PDB file of all heavy atoms in Angstrom:
ATOM      1  N   HIS M 338     -45.864 -58.118  51.647  1.00  0.00           N
ATOM      2  CA  HIS M 338     -46.252 -59.252  52.397  1.00  0.00           C
ATOM      3  C   HIS M 338     -46.674 -58.922  53.786  1.00  0.00           C
ATOM      4  O   HIS M 338     -47.709 -59.346  54.252  1.00  0.00           O
ATOM      5  CB  HIS M 338     -45.085 -60.245  52.528  1.00  0.00           C
ATOM      6  CG  HIS M 338     -45.309 -61.482  53.365  1.00  0.00           C
ATOM      7  ND1 HIS M 338     -45.063 -61.475  54.688  1.00  0.00           N
ATOM      8  CD2 HIS M 338     -45.912 -62.718  53.014  1.00  0.00           C
ATOM      9  CE1 HIS M 338     -45.378 -62.687  55.207  1.00  0.00           C
ATOM     10  NE2 HIS M 338     -45.913 -63.410  54.148  1.00  0.00           N
ATOM     11  N   ASP M 339     -45.889 -58.020  54.412  1.00  0.00           N
ATOM     12  CA  ASP M 339     -46.254 -57.562  55.857  1.00  0.00           C
ATOM     13  C   ASP M 339     -47.539 -56.785  55.987  1.00  0.00           C
ATOM     14  O   ASP M 339     -48.118 -56.738  56.946  1.00  0.00           O
ATOM     15  CB  ASP M 339     -45.068 -56.830  56.577  1.00  0.00           C
ATOM     16  CG  ASP M 339     -43.898 -57.723  56.787  1.00  0.00           C
ATOM     17  OD1 ASP M 339     -44.034 -58.943  56.645  1.00  0.00           O
ATOM     18  OD2 ASP M 339     -42.784 -57.278  57.154  1.00  0.00           O
ATOM     19  N   LEU M 340     -47.805 -56.051  54.888  1.00  0.00           N
ATOM     20  CA  LEU M 340     -48.953 -55.313  54.887  1.00  0.00           C
ATOM     21  C   LEU M 340     -50.248 -56.139  54.403  1.00  0.00           C
ATOM     22  O   LEU M 340     -51.368 -55.792  54.788  1.00  0.00           O
ATOM     23  CB  LEU M 340     -48.893 -53.990  54.041  1.00  0.00           C
ATOM     24  CG  LEU M 340     -47.904 -52.953  54.465  1.00  0.00           C
ATOM     25  CD1 LEU M 340     -47.866 -51.745  53.539  1.00  0.00           C
ATOM     26  CD2 LEU M 340     -48.243 -52.475  55.834  1.00  0.00           C
ATOM     27  N   ARG M 341     -49.856 -57.031  53.523  1.00  0.00           N
ATOM     28  CA  ARG M 341     -50.964 -57.885  52.976  1.00  0.00           C
ATOM     29  C   ARG M 341     -51.697 -58.732  54.049  1.00  0.00           C
ATOM     30  O   ARG M 341     -52.933 -58.838  54.151  1.00  0.00           O
ATOM     31  CB  ARG M 341     -50.541 -58.736  51.899  1.00  0.00           C
ATOM     32  CG  ARG M 341     -51.622 -59.585  51.210  1.00  0.00           C
ATOM     33  CD  ARG M 341     -51.024 -60.503  50.190  1.00  0.00           C
ATOM     34  NE  ARG M 341     -50.376 -59.889  49.155  1.00  0.00           N
ATOM     35  CZ  ARG M 341     -49.108 -60.019  48.996  1.00  0.00           C
ATOM     36  NH1 ARG M 341     -48.379 -60.885  49.751  1.00  0.00           N
ATOM     37  NH2 ARG M 341     -48.492 -59.477  47.945  1.00  0.00           N
ATOM     38  N   THR M 342     -50.895 -59.284  54.946  1.00  0.00           N
ATOM     39  CA  THR M 342     -51.455 -60.134  55.988  1.00  0.00           C
ATOM     40  C   THR M 342     -52.368 -59.417  56.908  1.00  0.00           C
ATOM     41  O   THR M 342     -53.551 -59.870  57.102  1.00  0.00           O
ATOM     42  CB  THR M 342     -50.299 -60.748  56.850  1.00  0.00           C
ATOM     43  OG1 THR M 342     -49.480 -61.544  55.980  1.00  0.00           O
ATOM     44  CG2 THR M 342     -50.807 -61.666  57.896  1.00  0.00           C
ATOM     45  N   PRO M 343     -52.034 -58.293  57.439  1.00  0.00           N
ATOM     46  CA  PRO M 343     -52.940 -57.539  58.398  1.00  0.00           C
ATOM     47  C   PRO M 343     -54.076 -57.055  57.640  1.00  0.00           C
ATOM     48  O   PRO M 343     -55.316 -57.006  58.042  1.00  0.00           O
ATOM     49  CB  PRO M 343     -52.106 -56.425  59.038  1.00  0.00           C
ATOM     50  CG  PRO M 343     -51.006 -56.310  58.144  1.00  0.00           C
ATOM     51  CD  PRO M 343     -50.653 -57.573  57.628  1.00  0.00           C
ATOM     52  N   LEU M 344     -53.948 -56.539  56.366  1.00  0.00           N
ATOM     53  CA  LEU M 344     -54.973 -56.123  55.511  1.00  0.00           C
ATOM     54  C   LEU M 344     -55.982 -57.277  55.260  1.00  0.00           C
ATOM     55  O   LEU M 344     -57.254 -57.000  55.199  1.00  0.00           O
ATOM     56  CB  LEU M 344     -54.433 -55.408  54.158  1.00  0.00           C
ATOM     57  CG  LEU M 344     -53.806 -54.010  54.340  1.00  0.00           C
ATOM     58  CD1 LEU M 344     -53.118 -53.689  53.014  1.00  0.00           C
ATOM     59  CD2 LEU M 344     -54.778 -53.027  54.762  1.00  0.00           C
ATOM     60  N   THR M 345     -55.384 -58.392  54.995  1.00  0.00           N
ATOM     61  CA  THR M 345     -56.369 -59.627  54.627  1.00  0.00           C
ATOM     62  C   THR M 345     -57.189 -59.834  55.988  1.00  0.00           C
ATOM     63  O   THR M 345     -58.389 -60.215  55.764  1.00  0.00           O
ATOM     64  CB  THR M 345     -55.448 -60.789  54.311  1.00  0.00           C
ATOM     65  OG1 THR M 345     -54.675 -60.441  53.113  1.00  0.00           O
ATOM     66  CG2 THR M 345     -56.392 -61.913  53.970  1.00  0.00           C
ATOM     67  N   ARG M 346     -56.487 -59.803  57.096  1.00  0.00           N
ATOM     68  CA  ARG M 346     -57.270 -60.054  58.254  1.00  0.00           C
ATOM     69  C   ARG M 346     -58.398 -59.091  58.501  1.00  0.00           C
ATOM     70  O   ARG M 346     -59.457 -59.325  58.966  1.00  0.00           O
ATOM     71  CB  ARG M 346     -56.281 -60.150  59.544  1.00  0.00           C
ATOM     72  CG  ARG M 346     -55.429 -61.415  59.460  1.00  0.00           C
ATOM     73  CD  ARG M 346     -54.853 -61.544  60.929  1.00  0.00           C
ATOM     74  NE  ARG M 346     -53.943 -60.463  61.258  1.00  0.00           N
ATOM     75  CZ  ARG M 346     -52.573 -60.539  61.119  1.00  0.00           C
ATOM     76  NH1 ARG M 346     -52.035 -61.624  60.661  1.00  0.00           N
ATOM     77  NH2 ARG M 346     -51.944 -59.511  61.474  1.00  0.00           N
ATOM     78  N   MET M 347     -58.010 -57.809  58.245  1.00  0.00           N
ATOM     79  CA  MET M 347     -58.962 -56.661  58.506  1.00  0.00           C
ATOM     80  C   MET M 347     -60.176 -56.881  57.610  1.00  0.00           C
ATOM     81  O   MET M 347     -61.395 -56.750  57.961  1.00  0.00           O
ATOM     82  CB  MET M 347     -58.258 -55.320  58.194  1.00  0.00           C
ATOM     83  CG  MET M 347     -57.260 -55.011  59.312  1.00  0.00           C
ATOM     84  SD  MET M 347     -56.375 -53.521  58.764  1.00  0.00           S
ATOM     85  CE  MET M 347     -57.650 -52.320  58.686  1.00  0.00           C
ATOM     86  N   ILE M 348     -59.846 -57.182  56.278  1.00  0.00           N
ATOM     87  CA  ILE M 348     -60.935 -57.385  55.345  1.00  0.00           C
ATOM     88  C   ILE M 348     -61.782 -58.646  55.709  1.00  0.00           C
ATOM     89  O   ILE M 348     -62.963 -58.557  55.610  1.00  0.00           O
ATOM     90  CB  ILE M 348     -60.405 -57.503  53.914  1.00  0.00           C
ATOM     91  CG1 ILE M 348     -59.692 -56.352  53.419  1.00  0.00           C
ATOM     92  CG2 ILE M 348     -61.440 -57.924  52.893  1.00  0.00           C
ATOM     93  CD1 ILE M 348     -58.979 -56.423  52.141  1.00  0.00           C
ATOM     94  N   GLY M 349     -61.158 -59.724  56.119  1.00  0.00           N
ATOM     95  CA  GLY M 349     -61.879 -60.910  56.561  1.00  0.00           C
ATOM     96  C   GLY M 349     -62.846 -60.637  57.682  1.00  0.00           C
ATOM     97  O   GLY M 349     -63.985 -60.992  57.690  1.00  0.00           O
ATOM     98  N   ARG M 350     -62.351 -59.923  58.723  1.00  0.00           N
ATOM     99  CA  ARG M 350     -63.118 -59.616  59.890  1.00  0.00           C
ATOM    100  C   ARG M 350     -64.323 -58.721  59.433  1.00  0.00           C
ATOM    101  O   ARG M 350     -65.459 -58.847  59.962  1.00  0.00           O
ATOM    102  CB  ARG M 350     -62.287 -58.865  60.966  1.00  0.00           C
ATOM    103  CG  ARG M 350     -61.271 -59.731  61.697  1.00  0.00           C
ATOM    104  CD  ARG M 350     -60.710 -59.014  62.857  1.00  0.00           C
ATOM    105  NE  ARG M 350     -59.531 -59.562  63.328  1.00  0.00           N
ATOM    106  CZ  ARG M 350     -58.341 -59.083  63.036  1.00  0.00           C
ATOM    107  NH1 ARG M 350     -58.215 -58.009  62.310  1.00  0.00           N
ATOM    108  NH2 ARG M 350     -57.247 -59.659  63.507  1.00  0.00           N
ATOM    109  N   SER M 351     -63.959 -57.745  58.715  1.00  0.00           N
ATOM    110  CA  SER M 351     -65.096 -56.734  58.224  1.00  0.00           C
ATOM    111  C   SER M 351     -66.118 -57.434  57.411  1.00  0.00           C
ATOM    112  O   SER M 351     -67.407 -57.228  57.622  1.00  0.00           O
ATOM    113  CB  SER M 351     -64.495 -55.595  57.497  1.00  0.00           C
ATOM    114  OG  SER M 351     -63.504 -54.899  58.209  1.00  0.00           O
ATOM    115  N   GLU M 352     -65.763 -58.357  56.511  1.00  0.00           N
ATOM    116  CA  GLU M 352     -66.755 -59.103  55.685  1.00  0.00           C
ATOM    117  C   GLU M 352     -67.622 -60.019  56.542  1.00  0.00           C
ATOM    118  O   GLU M 352     -68.789 -60.206  56.332  1.00  0.00           O
ATOM    119  CB  GLU M 352     -66.021 -59.928  54.578  1.00  0.00           C
ATOM    120  CG  GLU M 352     -65.348 -59.030  53.495  1.00  0.00           C
ATOM    121  CD  GLU M 352     -64.710 -59.831  52.452  1.00  0.00           C
ATOM    122  OE1 GLU M 352     -64.321 -61.073  52.784  1.00  0.00           O
ATOM    123  OE2 GLU M 352     -64.355 -59.326  51.480  1.00  0.00           O
ATOM    124  N   VAL M 353     -66.907 -60.693  57.535  1.00  0.00           N
ATOM    125  CA  VAL M 353     -67.655 -61.653  58.441  1.00  0.00           C
ATOM    126  C   VAL M 353     -68.701 -60.852  59.227  1.00  0.00           C
ATOM    127  O   VAL M 353     -69.848 -61.222  59.476  1.00  0.00           O
ATOM    128  CB  VAL M 353     -66.773 -62.375  59.313  1.00  0.00           C
ATOM    129  CG1 VAL M 353     -67.540 -63.184  60.441  1.00  0.00           C
ATOM    130  CG2 VAL M 353     -65.912 -63.385  58.468  1.00  0.00           C
ATOM    131  N   THR M 354     -68.214 -59.660  59.799  1.00  0.00           N
ATOM    132  CA  THR M 354     -69.156 -58.884  60.592  1.00  0.00           C
ATOM    133  C   THR M 354     -70.260 -58.363  59.756  1.00  0.00           C
ATOM    134  O   THR M 354     -71.388 -58.428  60.186  1.00  0.00           O
ATOM    135  CB  THR M 354     -68.328 -57.752  61.183  1.00  0.00           C
ATOM    136  OG1 THR M 354     -67.235 -58.277  61.997  1.00  0.00           O
ATOM    137  CG2 THR M 354     -69.193 -56.924  62.146  1.00  0.00           C
ATOM    138  N   VAL M 355     -69.979 -57.830  58.508  1.00  0.00           N
ATOM    139  CA  VAL M 355     -71.044 -57.149  57.675  1.00  0.00           C
ATOM    140  C   VAL M 355     -72.015 -58.287  57.188  1.00  0.00           C
ATOM    141  O   VAL M 355     -73.215 -58.059  57.067  1.00  0.00           O
ATOM    142  CB  VAL M 355     -70.376 -56.391  56.593  1.00  0.00           C
ATOM    143  CG1 VAL M 355     -71.402 -55.955  55.524  1.00  0.00           C
ATOM    144  CG2 VAL M 355     -69.556 -55.249  57.095  1.00  0.00           C
ATOM    145  N   SER M 356     -71.502 -59.453  56.811  1.00  0.00           N
ATOM    146  CA  SER M 356     -72.341 -60.447  56.144  1.00  0.00           C
ATOM    147  C   SER M 356     -73.241 -61.139  57.156  1.00  0.00           C
ATOM    148  O   SER M 356     -74.271 -61.708  56.753  1.00  0.00           O
ATOM    149  CB  SER M 356     -71.507 -61.518  55.379  1.00  0.00           C
ATOM    150  OG  SER M 356     -70.632 -62.164  56.437  1.00  0.00           O
ATOM    151  N   GLY M 357     -72.820 -61.108  58.380  1.00  0.00           N
ATOM    152  CA  GLY M 357     -73.769 -61.739  59.436  1.00  0.00           C
ATOM    153  C   GLY M 357     -74.739 -60.866  60.046  1.00  0.00           C
ATOM    154  O   GLY M 357     -75.092 -59.863  59.491  1.00  0.00           O
ATOM    155  N   ASN M 358     -75.141 -61.172  61.215  1.00  0.00           N
ATOM    156  CA  ASN M 358     -76.084 -60.346  61.964  1.00  0.00           C
ATOM    157  C   ASN M 358     -75.408 -59.900  63.243  1.00  0.00           C
ATOM    158  O   ASN M 358     -75.740 -60.523  64.345  1.00  0.00           O
ATOM    159  CB  ASN M 358     -77.375 -61.153  62.272  1.00  0.00           C
ATOM    160  CG  ASN M 358     -78.460 -60.133  62.799  1.00  0.00           C
ATOM    161  OD1 ASN M 358     -78.377 -59.013  62.713  1.00  0.00           O
ATOM    162  ND2 ASN M 358     -79.522 -60.799  63.424  1.00  0.00           N
ATOM    163  N   PRO M 359     -74.394 -59.079  63.092  1.00  0.00           N
ATOM    164  CA  PRO M 359     -73.539 -58.799  64.201  1.00  0.00           C
ATOM    165  C   PRO M 359     -74.343 -57.940  65.270  1.00  0.00           C
ATOM    166  O   PRO M 359     -75.150 -57.068  65.013  1.00  0.00           O
ATOM    167  CB  PRO M 359     -72.349 -57.900  63.622  1.00  0.00           C
ATOM    168  CG  PRO M 359     -72.974 -57.258  62.490  1.00  0.00           C
ATOM    169  CD  PRO M 359     -74.068 -58.161  61.905  1.00  0.00           C
TER     170      PRO M 359
END
Side-chain angles (χ1 to χ4, degrees):
H338 177 269
D339 287 351
L340 292 180
R341 185 186 298 113
T342 301
L344 285 173
T345 302
R346 288 198 295 264
M347 291 171 61
I348 293 173
R350 293 193 195 98
S351 300
E352 288 178 347
V353 169
T354 303
V355 172
S356 61
N358 189 16

